[in-house]
Amino acid sequence: MFAVPTLIGEVSIRLFVRHGDQQDALDFYENVFGAKLAGRPYLHDGVLIAAEIRMGESVIMIVGANPKRDADASLGGPRSAHAIGATPVMLDIHVDDADRVMHHAISEGGTARNEVETLESGDRAGVLVDPFGHIWVIKSRRKHLAA
C-alpha cells in the first residue's frame, strides 16, 4: 500500500511569463491583488529573473520563461502562456470585492473573459485574463449560507 507523503512546508505555484516580463508581472500582481514580495528576488546581472510573492496564504513564483523553450516546443517546457497561446490552468482568488478588483485589473491591462456576476450561492465571480496570459477566477462571498 502506498504511504501518503507528509507535506513539508508550503505548496507553491510557478507562473511563467515571457522572458523580460517578470518585473511587469510582479508589479501587476502587487498592484491588482495586493501580492507581497516574499524574500529576496532572484537577479542575474541586476535584472529580475524570478520573484516569490505571497498572496494570502499562497506562495507564487513569477519566472521568466526560457526564450529558447518558448520558441521551440520540442525542447519541452515550461513555456509561457503567450508562447502556448493559452493556459491549461485557472487560478482562483478570493477577494473582498470581486467587482472592484476586476475593474482595477482591467484598468491595469487585464481582460475580462467573463464579467463579474452573481452566482446561485450569492457569491460574485468573474474571470480575468492577466496581461501575461494567466486566467484568474476572481470571487467574493456576498452572503453566508445557512448551516
Side-chain angles (χ1 to χ4, degrees):
M1 177 173 239
F2 178 73
V4 176
T6 301
L7 292 178
I8 300 172
E10 300 165 333
V11 174
S12 65
I13 298 165
R14 290 183 185 206
L15 297 181
F16 286 85
V17 298
R18 285 183 294 212
H19 180 74
D21 283 353
Q22 299 91 292
Q23 187 63 57
D24 291 340
L26 179 61
D27 294 343
F28 182 86
Y29 300 132
E30 286 178 335
N31 187 25
V32 172
F33 297 133
K36 302 290 184 206
L37 194 60
R40 292 184 15 207
Y42 301 87
L43 304 174
H44 179 69
D45 293 332
V47 176
L48 179 70
I49 58 170
E52 284 184 341
I53 56 175
R54 184 170 289 283
M55 294 173 63
E57 297 298 317
S58 300
V59 176
I60 297 175
M61 181 175 273
I62 308 304
V63 183
N66 181 317
K68 291 178 184 176
R69 292 185 189 284
D70 256 8
D72 185 353
S74 70
L75 296 176
R79 299 173 71 209
S80 70
H82 280 106
I84 297 167
T87 179
V89 175
M90 294 179 76
L91 303 153
D92 282 22
I93 184 168
H94 296 258
V95 297
D96 60 342
D97 185 338
D99 295 274
R100 180 181 54 79
V101 171
M102 179 71 90
H103 179 75
H104 184 62
I106 291 167
S107 74
E108 293 294 324
T111 304
R113 194 188 84 177
N114 299 81
E115 295 293 332
V116 177
E117 62 182 342
T118 302
L119 306 176
E120 287 184 23
S121 65
D123 296 349
R124 300 278 295 156
V127 181
L128 172 84
V129 179
D130 73 24
F132 316 99
H134 300 288
I135 299 173
W136 298 82
V137 179
I138 300 174
K139 296 179 182 177
S140 60
R141 189 163 300 266
R142 284 293 182 208
K143 66 179 183 180
H144 296 283
L145 302 177

